[in-house]
Amino acid sequence: MGQKKDLTGSEKSKIVRYLAEGCSSLKIAKLLKRDHRTIKRFIQNSQQGRKKRVEKPRRKITAHELRKVKRAAAKMPLATSLAIFQSCNITGVPKSTRCAILRDMAKVRKAERRPPLNKTHKLKRQDWAKKYLKTEFSKVLWTDEMRVNLDGPDGWARGWIGKGQRAPVRLRRQQGGGGVLVWAGIIKDELVGPFRVEDGVKLNSQSYCQFLEDTFFKQWYRKKSASFKKNMIFMQDNAPSHASKYSTAWLARKGIKEEKLMTWPPCSPDLNPIENLWSIIKCEIYKEGKQYTSLNSVWEAVVAAARNVDGEQIKTLTESMDGRLLSVLAKKGGYIGR
């Protein structure tokens, strides 16, 4: 014979109500059509109440064990407090104590994200650095795209909240609620753009070239002097829409070819100073965990944040290129950070 079902929440509520009305356990069993022993057991368990939690004495950590923990934390980056203490054969320490000890000697950090670099990538990065080591980078236009969504990054929605206050509700929508693709460039101390890619447009070779024609060339490039155009070097990464034969030929017809079109090493966002500009803009538009309700509102925030970036900040980014090239050579093509 199979085991009967446990009492439901509704039945438990009825038992409490019937007891308040003075009904016996036998009468309640008949009313609910349940076994009398089941009703009686529930009443007995309810009357016993919760057992008081017995506080166990906390284990003391010796100075020798603290040194072992410190060495283990250095050898095991991103490990949990439990894994660190277990590697030192230190048991019986509650999580709160483990975390309190580790806070005095370490910090909770996320792993850094970076593109994978194999031997070929590193050699190409070194060749690129050697080729452009004597370049006057004030004449290079650094370009890239950035996508911003409505929800923003989850990791930036943390901060202090006063005692007694509730944390504000944060929206979590599919695909971050949708987003806007933004293109911009920086040269010397000047920001070019930002320009918004039309919603729903997927950037392939044809749409990318048409986008550049409608924004970059018509609104900025054609206003420049002939001497400026002659000396400017155009930089773009190796995205398929950028590096295709169609896009390369189209740029060549615009006069951007050969030495005027910078070659770019693979997997190298750390070498492009405009990536730092994107970080500045994102920090501004998503500060204090801000979120947006429409694509137009997040675009307006991007434009406002870009206007607040002054020429000195941009100049600092573009002038950092000499140092970046030397770092690439010093690290034999390795990742240099941003």
Side-chain angles (χ1 to χ4, degrees), residues 83-129:
I84 291 172
F85 275 71
Q86 284 179 342
S87 70
C88 302
N89 294 321
I90 303 173
T91 58
V93 182
K95 183 179 179 181
S96 58
T97 305
R98 295 196 305 263
C99 292
I101 292 170
L102 287 171
R103 271 194 291 269
D104 292 334
M105 61 182 71
K107 291 182 178 180
V108 177
R109 293 283 181 88
K110 285 185 177 181
E112 292 184 10
R113 293 183 179 183
R114 60 178 63 176
L117 292 176
N118 56 34
K119 188 176 180 180
T120 303
H121 295 156
K122 291 179 180 179
L123 289 173
K124 287 184 177 181
R125 284 163 63 90
Q126 290 181 78
D127 292 340
W128 176 84

Side-chain angles (χ1 to χ4, degrees), residues 117-133 264-266 268 271 324-336:
L117 292 176
N118 56 34
K119 188 176 180 180
T120 303
H121 295 156
K122 291 179 180 179
L123 289 173
K124 287 184 177 181
R125 284 163 63 90
Q126 290 181 78
D127 292 340
W128 176 84
K130 292 173 184 176
K131 179 180 179 179
Y132 291 103
L133 197 57
W264 193 249
S268 300
L271 301 180
R324 296 186 194 220
L325 267 65
L326 292 173
S327 296
V328 169
L329 294 174
K331 294 191 175 184
K332 298 181 179 180
Y335 190 81
I336 64 169

Side-chain angles (χ1 to χ4, degrees), residues 10-64:
S10 176
E11 287 176 327
K12 291 176 182 178
S13 299
K14 288 179 180 178
I15 292 171
V16 173
R17 190 172 70 250
Y18 289 145
L19 286 172
E21 293 173 358
C23 297
S24 65
S25 59
L26 185 61
K27 185 177 180 180
I28 294 172
K30 290 180 180 179
L31 289 170
L32 296 181
K33 298 179 180 179
R34 297 297 297 255
D35 190 278
H36 176 230
R37 290 169 295 180
T38 303
I39 304 298
K40 196 172 181 180
R41 192 181 306 114
F42 170 75
I43 295 171
Q44 289 174 347
N45 291 339
S46 301
Q47 290 172 345
Q48 286 176 1
R50 285 187 177 182
K51 292 182 179 179
K52 288 186 178 180
R53 182 180 174 182
V54 179
E55 288 288 340
K56 295 181 180 179
R58 290 195 172 187
R59 188 189 187 288
K60 291 184 178 180
I61 307 296
T62 65
H64 175 65

Side-chain angles (χ1 to χ4, degrees), residues 100-285:
I101 292 170
L102 287 171
R103 271 194 291 269
D104 292 334
M105 61 182 71
K107 291 182 178 180
V108 177
R109 293 283 181 88
K110 285 185 177 181
E112 292 184 10
R113 293 183 179 183
R114 60 178 63 176
L117 292 176
N118 56 34
K119 188 176 180 180
T120 303
H121 295 156
K122 291 179 180 179
L123 289 173
K124 287 184 177 181
R125 284 163 63 90
Q126 290 181 78
D127 292 340
W128 176 84
K130 292 173 184 176
K131 179 180 179 179
Y132 291 103
L133 197 57
K134 296 182 180 180
T135 301
E136 191 176 343
F137 289 111
S138 62
K139 297 179 180 179
V140 178
L141 175 68
W142 308 92
T143 72
D144 195 20
E145 294 95 9
M146 167 186 70
R147 180 170 291 278
V148 290
N149 59 40
L150 301 184
D151 287 354
D154 289 337
W156 293 4
R158 301 178 70 178
W160 294 100
I161 295 175
K163 290 183 178 179
Q165 292 182 324
R166 294 187 62 184
V169 175
R170 182 168 178 81
L171 300 176
R172 290 193 67 182
R173 292 166 284 197
Q174 194 171 20
Q175 302 296 324
V180 174
L181 187 62
V182 181
W183 182 98
I186 54 174
I187 181 169
K188 198 175 180 179
D189 59 355
E190 185 178 357
L191 172 63
V192 182
F195 299 117
R196 178 179 177 177
V197 178
E198 188 178 345
D199 298 340
V201 172
K202 184 178 180 181
L203 280 187
N204 53 31
S205 300
Q206 291 79 9
S207 59
Y208 172 65
C209 293
Q210 187 60 51
F211 171 78
L212 289 181
E213 176 66 33
D214 296 338
T215 55
F216 168 69
F217 281 102
K218 286 185 178 179
Q219 298 183 39
W220 187 81
Y221 187 72
R222 73 176 183 180
K223 297 176 183 178
K224 296 298 180 180
S225 64
S227 60
F228 176 89
K229 294 176 182 178
K230 182 180 178 181
N231 295 318
M232 190 198 80
I233 301 172
F234 187 85
M235 174 272 154
Q236 58 181 4
D237 62 22
N238 294 320
S241 59
H242 301 172
S244 68
K245 291 181 179 179
Y246 180 94
S247 299
T248 304
W250 185 86
L251 286 170
R253 291 195 295 272
K254 292 287 186 179
I256 299 176
K257 56 184 177 180
E258 299 172 352
E259 294 302 318
K260 292 189 65 180
L261 181 62
M262 179 178 280
T263 56
W264 193 249
C267 302
S268 300
D270 55 318
L271 301 180
N272 191 350
I274 201 172
E275 296 289 349
N276 299 88
L277 175 71
W278 295 143
S279 297
I280 293 170
I281 290 175
K282 283 186 174 180
C283 284
E284 178 63 25
I285 66 175

